[in-house]
Structures are given as structure tokens and as C-alpha cells.
Amino acid sequence: RRDLVVMSTSGRHGRQRCLWLPLYLLLLLPAVLLRFRAFIASPAAFGDTKFPLQGGAGRLHARDSSVGRRSGDRDLQKPTLPKTAPQMLEQAAETISKAYANGVSRQWVRLRLDMLANMEEVQADAQKEGFNGFLTGLGIQLPPVPIGVDNIHQATLPSVKDMVQRVASASPITDLKVALVEKEGQPDVSTMLYRSAEDPQHDAVFYFLAGRSFAVSKVARQVLKGMMQRLVVMVNSEDAASKFKVENRGADFSRLDTDTDYYYADELSINFCDTFQEQTYYYSREIRNDWTVYLFRAYPFPWTVYLEGLDGQVVEISQSVQKPSTTAIVDLTEKYEEENCISSKDKRQMILDRKEDLFGGNG
């Protein structure tokens, strides 16, 4: 009977444990799921495997700049228009570094090339080249020769190298390789600047004056895939021989830019432009509606349009999250004329008094 009582008691406890087990597992399930989710989100889950960027705007854990600045960026002071070439180069290098630190690994940059070289001297050098130089040497006066992209490239490349070396690196820089990027039959004269670091994960590559032919080439695809999360910057492609704008998403390209190496140029050009949508540093000087207009942006701040007034003073006329189009800028100049009661006579006098064109001067 004692044996029966013991067996009965142990059976009762066993049944109680069986009843509590499902409840215990149910309570434990949320904790298990949270640990599993944390494991999957961690890079350690995949060892040291590196994954290339997939499409998109070429960013790693970066926020969309069109939404507004991060809370940590709100205390930053908005940069002003640089007045000298060294100021612009330093400003651009700091901006590129800041954007990369925030996860933007694919960047589009435009510098004012007319600040990096005296275009009158560049034109004079172009006048002396080739057959024109021979005729000039004979004392034959020739009309001014248009400045070619190759002349601008040669005059401004040293300044671009300076900017590349100023961009911050988390690992000491060991070397800077500079090589021409040429393709037979293409009009572009562009340069690759590859900056090596002690830790290869912090290498960076910059392409200066690379045009449409490079954007849709197999080389470009291989570079973007191979660089993975490393920094890749396109510099002044809007001033290349076959120039284009990333915001046009391939609309600047045509079948004339292609050959059998990149037959699917439409898709390739769109993908390339989408990869470099983040225009981190941009500074241009152009003539719009007879006004000298400056378009400026330094990450993470908005786009700003400045205008040089009748008195020569540069004033801010607009800010926007998105890059303003040429039409939008012309509309802004017309609004400025209306608000400041500027007549056609005033504008004609301004044009007559203007001493330099788009590429004139160094400031």
C-alpha cells in the first residue's frame, strides 16, 4: 500500500509538471525571439563576410538628406560661400568626410573650376598648342581658341589632388595613385585618384571629370562592386566632355554614348545616377536670365541660391531641400527683379558693366 501511495504521489507531481511545461515554454518564447532577432541583425551572424552595396543611393545606414538634418547636425553652423580656392577645397574635404562618417559612401561633388585655375592663362596656353601655336609663333594673329576639357583638366588636377588628401581617413594614408581613365574613341579626359590606407577597408577612390562613357562602362560596375562600403566620389562630372547630371537619372545619355561593351545603356545609366544621388558638396557659378547666380550646397544643409546684385553684392534668394532646376532658378531671378523693382534698363547697364564672363577671374 505504501508503494501504491508513493506511486500515486509521484504520478500526481508528474502530471502537474506536464501541465506547467507548456505554460513555461509560452512565457519563454518572447525572450527567445528577441535574442534570435538581435543575432540576425548583428554582423557577427555572418562572420567577416562583406556585402557590396545593392542599388539605391550608395549609402550604408545613412538617412535620406531630403528628410532633413539629423538631430546631431542641428548645432552645425551653415557654411558660407568660400571666397578662395583653398577655402573651397577645405570646405569640400570636410563635407565629404562628414557625409562618409554618416554612412554616405557614394558621393557626387562639384567644385568651381574657375576658382582652381586662371582661365585666361589656361586659354593662353591653349592658344599656343599644336598648329595654332605654330601660326602664333609666325606672328599670325588668330581668334581666341575655345578652352578644351583637357586644358582645364591639366590646370585643375593638382588642386583636386590636394582636396583628396585632405579628406579624413580612419587609417593612415599610405599612397595616392593617379591614373588617366581613357577609352579609345571617347571625348572624355578623366582621372582616377586612388587613395590607399594602412587598413585597406579605408581605401577611397575619386574620379575627376569622368563622363557618360565611364558611367556605363564595365569598369565602373567593377569598381563600385569591389569598393563595397569604401568611399567612392565623382568629382565634376557635370564639367566633363560628355557631361551629365545625376538628378536627370540617365536622360542625358543616348545610344551614341554606347558600344557593344555596355549595350544596356539605359538601365546602366539610371543605376549609376541613382547610386550617386547624394550631392554632398556643390558650388557652381553660372549666368541665368542675365544674372550671375551661385548654386551652393554642403551636406547636410539645404541647397542655396545666391545672386550677384546690381551693386555687386551677393545675396541669398532661396533655400530648398531639393536641388533647384534651371527653370526654377530663372523663376527666382524674375521674382528678385519684381521684388526689387529692377527695370530692363538697369539690367542692360549691368550687362555692359560686367567685366567677366562665366569663367572670368579667380573669385
Side-chain angles (χ1 to χ4, degrees):
R1 186 180 303 150
R2 185 182 303 115
D3 294 338
L4 291 175
V5 171
V6 171
M7 291 177 60
S8 176
T9 304
S10 62
R12 185 167 58 250
H13 289 309
R15 286 193 298 271
Q16 289 176 349
R17 284 196 297 270
C18 291
L19 291 174
W20 277 103
L21 182 60
L23 181 60
Y24 175 75
L25 293 176
L26 186 62
L27 293 174
L28 187 63
L29 183 60
V32 173
L33 291 176
L34 287 174
R35 292 295 298 274
F36 180 73
R37 181 180 178 184
F39 173 76
I40 291 298
S42 172
F46 304 99
D48 295 328
T49 305
K50 304 296 182 181
F51 294 94
L53 296 175
Q54 299 296 326
R59 60 183 65 243
L60 296 171
H61 312 297
R63 54 120 181 119
D64 187 350
S65 63
S66 64
V67 177
R69 301 199 302 276
R70 284 180 171 180
S71 58
D73 296 331
R74 291 172 184 169
D75 296 332
L76 297 176
Q77 185 177 2
K78 178 184 174 182
T80 58
L81 288 180
K83 296 182 179 180
T84 66
Q87 288 178 358
M88 177 178 65
L89 295 174
E90 183 65 28
Q91 202 176 66
E94 291 178 356
T95 300
I96 294 170
S97 304
K98 185 189 308 175
Y100 185 59
N102 282 345
V104 185
S105 63
R106 303 294 183 261
Q107 301 185 33
W108 183 270
V109 169
R110 190 182 188 190
L111 306 170
R112 270 187 59 188
L113 298 182
D114 61 303
M115 291 180 67
L116 301 182
N118 187 316
M119 291 302 164
E120 292 181 359
E121 295 180 0
V122 174
Q123 170 138 42
D125 292 339
Q127 195 84 17
K128 300 174 185 177
E129 293 180 350
F131 187 66
N132 289 330
F134 173 75
L135 295 178
T136 302
L138 295 177
I140 301 175
Q141 297 295 325
L142 298 174
V145 175
I147 302 176
V149 174
D150 53 340
N151 303 115
I152 296 175
H153 174 272
Q154 183 177 359
T156 57
L157 180 59
S159 296
V160 176
K161 289 171 62 178
D162 182 24
M163 180 199 71
V164 169
Q165 292 173 325
R166 294 189 190 196
V167 174
S169 175
S171 178
I173 299 171
T174 59
D175 191 19
L176 178 63
K177 294 183 175 64
V178 180
L180 284 176
V181 181
E182 296 179 338
K183 190 171 183 63
E184 186 177 355
Q186 298 295 340
D188 294 306
V189 180
S190 58
T191 294
M192 178 194 72
L193 301 96
Y194 192 95
R195 199 183 70 179
S196 302
E198 286 186 2
D199 183 354
Q201 290 299 318
H202 297 287
D203 287 1
V205 63
F206 298 73
Y207 285 92
F208 178 50
L209 291 174
R212 299 191 297 267
S213 58
F214 171 78
V216 295
S217 67
K218 185 182 297 183
V219 172
R221 298 195 297 277
Q222 292 173 340
V223 168
L224 292 176
K225 182 178 180 180
M227 289 300 287
M228 298 183 184
Q229 77 274 24
R230 302 175 185 90
L231 178 64
V232 182
V233 183
M234 300 295 294
V235 184
N236 283 81
S237 287
E238 290 188 36
D239 298 297
S242 60
K243 55 189 174 183
F244 66 103
K245 297 183 178 182
V246 287
E247 63 267 26
N248 291 342
R249 300 192 69 238
D252 304 334
F253 293 71
S254 71
R255 288 296 179 184
L256 297 178
D257 300 318
T258 69
D259 60 20
T260 53
D261 288 340
Y262 30 88
Y263 178 76
Y264 300 102
D266 294 338
E267 180 182 354
L268 295 177
S269 60
I270 292 173
N271 290 341
F272 187 89
C273 291
D274 287 348
T275 299
F276 288 93
Q277 276 298 307
E278 188 67 85
Q279 303 186 53
T280 53
Y281 189 85
Y282 194 100
Y283 187 22
S284 68
R285 173 181 182 245
E286 300 175 349
I287 304 298
R288 294 287 179 257
N289 190 27
D290 296 324
W291 294 97
T292 300
V293 175
Y294 303 88
L295 180 58
F296 181 74
R297 197 246 170 165
Y299 174 97
F301 297 94
W303 292 84
T304 308
V305 180
Y306 297 87
L307 179 145
E308 187 175 317
L310 295 175
D311 57 359
Q313 297 297 313
V314 177
V315 295
E316 179 182 318
I317 61 173
S318 173
Q319 281 193 24
S320 59
V321 173
Q322 300 295 333
K323 181 181 181 181
S325 64
T326 300
T327 302
I329 293 176
V330 171
D331 292 341
L332 289 170
T333 62
E334 293 176 348
K335 181 181 178 182
Y336 174 82
E337 294 174 11
E338 182 179 350
E339 292 178 347
N340 292 273
C341 302
I342 297 175
S343 64
S344 299
K345 181 180 179 181
D346 294 332
K347 286 186 64 176
R348 285 195 298 270
Q349 187 61 45
M350 175 188 67
I351 297 171
L352 292 174
D353 293 341
R354 185 180 293 142
K355 296 181 181 180
E356 58 188 34
D357 60 12
L358 178 62
F359 292 106
N362 281 329

